[in-house]
Amino acid sequence: MSSLPDNPDALYGDVIMDHYRNPRHRTRLSSPDAEAEEFNPFCGDRAALQFALAEPGRNDAPIAAVSALAEGCSIIQASASLLAEGVQGRTVEQAADLSQLFRDLMQGKPLPPVALAELGDLEALEVVRQYPVRIKCVLLPWVALEEGLRRLGGT
Ligand code: ZN
């Protein structure tokens, strides 16, 4: 395992550091349609997601609101924030597709330009592949997402 340099800005780049310093979608929802939480006991990372559908009970309606709270290292906080931005406005099925694309990205699968366009800012997290010890941190919010999508009933 490589040790991490002192300056995380240089390491992770502007998009990740922006989402780490100014995480989006941290406001808790008053009446979520689904919630999911994941915890990594080895490093103390925690991600808690909430989802509200545009029309409650209809999982073919877009996810109108997402709340993403993450505790732990800079990477999990940036990943949760970017996830929330990426998922809001998508249907459950589209969010599941995005999650699969993101896993493909993090596994180093070659993705066509249309897939990269779909991922948008999420592509910035690919840099974490260089630090295998942080892959679990990146993926933890996505495990919570997939659990939340199952609870919404779409996958
Ligand atoms: Zn972490």
Side-chain angles (χ1 to χ4, degrees):
M1 291 176 199
S2 58
S3 62
L4 298 175
D6 292 339
N7 180 357
D9 294 49
L11 183 61
Y12 295 133
D14 292 343
V15 172
I16 291 178
M17 293 314 293
D18 178 38
H19 279 264
Y20 165 53
R21 295 206 173 97
N22 307 295
R24 280 60 147 182
H25 298 273
R26 288 182 63 87
T27 306
R28 302 308 276 167
L29 307 182
S30 53
S31 54
D33 291 291
E35 302 182 81
E37 189 166 345
E38 290 292 329
F39 178 58
N40 180 349
F42 297 103
C43 70
D45 282 348
R46 187 184 295 275
L49 304 185
Q50 295 178 313
F51 307 91
L53 295 166
E55 296 174 57
R58 285 201 53 184
N59 59 32
D60 57 341
I63 296 168
V66 181
S67 169
L69 284 186
E71 292 169 22
C73 62
S74 53
I75 286 301
I76 190 176
Q77 294 186 49
S79 182
S81 176
L82 281 158
L83 177 157
E85 281 213 323
V87 162
Q88 180 153 306
R90 290 178 195 259
T91 64
V92 172
E93 194 180 336
Q94 289 166 343
D97 289 346
L98 185 73
S99 187
Q100 184 58 54
L101 270 186
F102 184 71
R103 286 184 178 276
D104 289 347
L105 177 81
M106 295 311 296
Q107 285 168 11
K109 291 192 185 160
L111 295 175
V114 63
L116 292 175
E118 193 73 8
L119 285 165
D121 281 352
L122 285 164
E123 191 186 354
L125 289 164
E126 190 186 11
V127 69
V128 179
R129 292 188 62 234
Q130 296 169 37
Y131 309 97
V133 70
R134 293 278 176 231
I135 298 280
K136 269 200 161 69
C137 305
V138 165
L139 290 179
L140 199 70
W142 297 82
V143 177
L145 169 65
E146 286 155 11
E147 180 60 30
L149 295 178
R150 270 192 292 277
R151 290 178 184 167
L152 286 171
T155 57

